[in-house]
Amino acid sequence: MIDMPAKRPPVPLSLERIIDAALHIADGQGLRRLTMRRLGDALQVEAMAIYHHLPRGKDALMDALAEHVTAVQVGPEGLDGWQDRARAWARASRTALLEHPGVLSLALTKPPKGSALIAIREQTEQLQEAGLGDAGEAVRALRAYVFGSVAVEVQQSGWADPDATVQHARTADGEREFQHGLDALIAGLER
């Protein structure tokens, strides 16, 4: 009798696995190519199994992807003053968005929900505790700057061009240009 190797049990389906697979598809093939069927194939499950974790289907998936890339957490430890905290939040947000350019359009158009809304509240509280007067207004300005800056960088990189062979959404001067604009914004908020 020949001993057959035991089959590995399937990896349980989870919201985290679904989001990771969806991000992989969106970043590699574009958001338009992200279908529930293609996502099911990537996860090696029937597309209907995904609805157990996302009962609202594709709308819930789009919300979850937007939340994933915008729910940035930055602790205030080791950051002196609201300016350092604002810079840390802005850099972390930029990094998260550039890691997943395939869902940038969702981050720009979906209203913050869940953990993304909590992150915005935490950012506002941290800036307020560090001495910034109108922290809510500052957070709105910082988010607008980060989102706009990342959108321009993705555009300039050529990443979104369907005929391009660009692998990354970053540009050579992106970090320097981002930092220059961030410094100007923070200087304006200091007034």
Side-chain angles (χ1 to χ4, degrees):
M1 184 165 122
I2 300 174
D3 286 332
M4 297 295 286
K7 280 189 173 181
R8 288 187 186 153
V11 178
L13 192 59
S14 66
L15 184 57
E16 183 178 309
R17 276 191 65 220
I18 292 169
I19 290 172
D20 286 345
L23 287 170
H24 183 75
I25 292 168
D27 291 338
Q29 301 175 32
L31 200 53
R32 287 190 195 120
R33 306 263 308 154
L34 176 58
T35 64
M36 297 305 261
R37 180 174 291 188
R38 185 167 277 123
L39 182 57
D41 290 346
L43 293 164
Q44 298 179 339
V45 300
E46 292 294 324
M48 291 307 292
I50 298 167
Y51 288 88
H52 174 73
H53 297 276
L54 298 164
R56 290 186 307 116
K58 193 160 182 184
D59 286 341
L61 177 62
M62 297 299 123
D63 288 345
L65 293 175
E67 183 177 340
H68 180 82
V69 298
T70 58
V72 175
Q73 299 292 322
V74 176
E77 300 79 25
L79 299 172
D80 298 325
W82 69 263
Q83 297 90 337
D84 288 345
R85 292 178 186 191
R87 281 185 180 88
W89 278 94
R91 285 187 198 116
S93 295
R94 176 179 181 266
T95 298
L97 291 168
L98 285 173
E99 282 177 5
H100 299 292
V103 295
L104 177 61
S105 64
L106 296 175
L108 292 170
T109 58
K110 293 277 186 182
K113 295 180 182 176
S115 58
L117 204 52
I118 292 168
I120 292 168
R121 193 170 318 133
E122 286 176 6
Q123 182 182 14
T124 304
E125 289 169 2
Q126 283 184 23
L127 295 180
Q128 219 161 18
E129 289 168 5
L132 182 59
D134 193 351
E137 185 178 309
V139 168
R140 285 187 294 281
L142 287 162
R143 286 174 52 84
Y145 172 69
V146 170
F147 285 22
S149 173
V150 169
V152 168
E153 187 169 355
V154 168
Q155 181 186 45
Q156 289 176 342
S157 74
W159 180 89
D161 181 351
D163 297 326
T165 57
V166 176
Q167 296 295 315
H168 303 285
R170 295 177 185 266
T171 62
D173 294 329
E175 179 66 33
R176 182 188 53 75
E177 291 170 355
F178 177 79
Q179 191 59 48
H180 180 74
L182 182 58
D183 289 343
L185 175 57
I186 289 175
L189 293 172
E190 288 176 331
R191 294 186 210 160

